[in-house]
């Protein structure tokens, strides 16, 4: 069973950039850091600006990735969040927050503790 990733919800892109910077100064690797927003474009823009990852087919697996082509954006986001180790209830909660414009930062393979 995959360990739950560290997850932090923030109010906006600027705060996401600040939190990602804090994580990286604490030794969290960029390749272990992911960002998720409700829109694909916003997710990609944030990931590019912060030099971090988005959840891709590598994390989702081929079947889930293909299935996401036919899902609503909300269903796709929940499936992506579950693919990185969040429970269905956590994925549902975070997806509803993303609907409100918030940004989710995820860290997998975390070796340092982090408190903000």
């Amino acid at each position: 069973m995959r360990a739950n990733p560290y997850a932090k919800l923030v109010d906006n892109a600027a705060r996401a950039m600040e939190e990602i910077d804090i994580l990286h100064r604490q030794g969290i690797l960029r390749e272990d850091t992911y960002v998720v927003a409700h829109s694909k474009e916003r997710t990609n823009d944030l990931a590019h600006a912060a030099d971090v990852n988005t959840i891709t087919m590598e994390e989702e697996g081929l079947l889930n990735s293909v299935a996401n082509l036919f899902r609503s954006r909300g269903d796709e986001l929940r499936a992506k969040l579950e693919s990185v180790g969040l429970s269905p209830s956590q994925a549902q909660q975070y997806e509803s927050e993303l609907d409100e414009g918030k940004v989710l930062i995820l860290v997998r393979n975390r070796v340092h503790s982090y408190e903000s």
Side-chain angles (χ1 to χ4, degrees):
M1 185 156 128
R2 181 179 299 152
N4 279 349
Y6 163 81
K8 178 149 187 167
L9 201 59
V10 295
D11 289 328
N12 55 50
R15 188 71 184 127
M17 297 295 285
E18 291 170 7
E19 290 295 327
I20 290 167
D21 187 52
I22 290 168
L23 288 167
H24 294 162
R25 284 190 313 228
Q26 292 186 351
I28 301 299
L29 301 176
R30 291 190 183 281
E31 57 262 25
D32 293 335
T33 309
Y34 295 77
V35 66
V36 182
H38 198 274
S39 83
K40 289 179 186 180
E41 182 178 344
R42 187 172 182 215
T43 297
N44 291 333
D45 289 347
L46 283 167
H48 180 73
D51 191 24
V52 297
N53 299 299
T54 61
I55 301 169
T56 63
M57 186 180 355
E58 185 176 336
E59 292 81 25
E60 294 177 88
L62 179 62
L63 293 178
N64 208 21
S65 186
V66 171
N68 280 340
L69 295 172
F70 303 99
R71 292 178 173 146
S72 70
R73 182 62 178 158
D75 289 345
E76 177 186 0
L77 285 169
R78 287 186 295 278
K80 284 178 176 282
L81 295 174
E82 288 178 38
S83 75
V84 295
L86 295 177
S87 71
S89 62
Q90 289 172 313
Q92 173 66 42
Q93 177 60 42
Y94 285 128
E95 190 274 325
S96 68
E97 296 284 347
L98 295 175
D99 279 344
E100 302 298 321
K102 294 187 178 184
V103 177
L104 182 62
I105 301 162
L106 298 165
V107 176
R108 294 176 66 191
N109 305 321
R110 195 169 122 233
V111 294
H112 293 77
S113 62
Y114 171 73
E115 295 292 328
S116 67

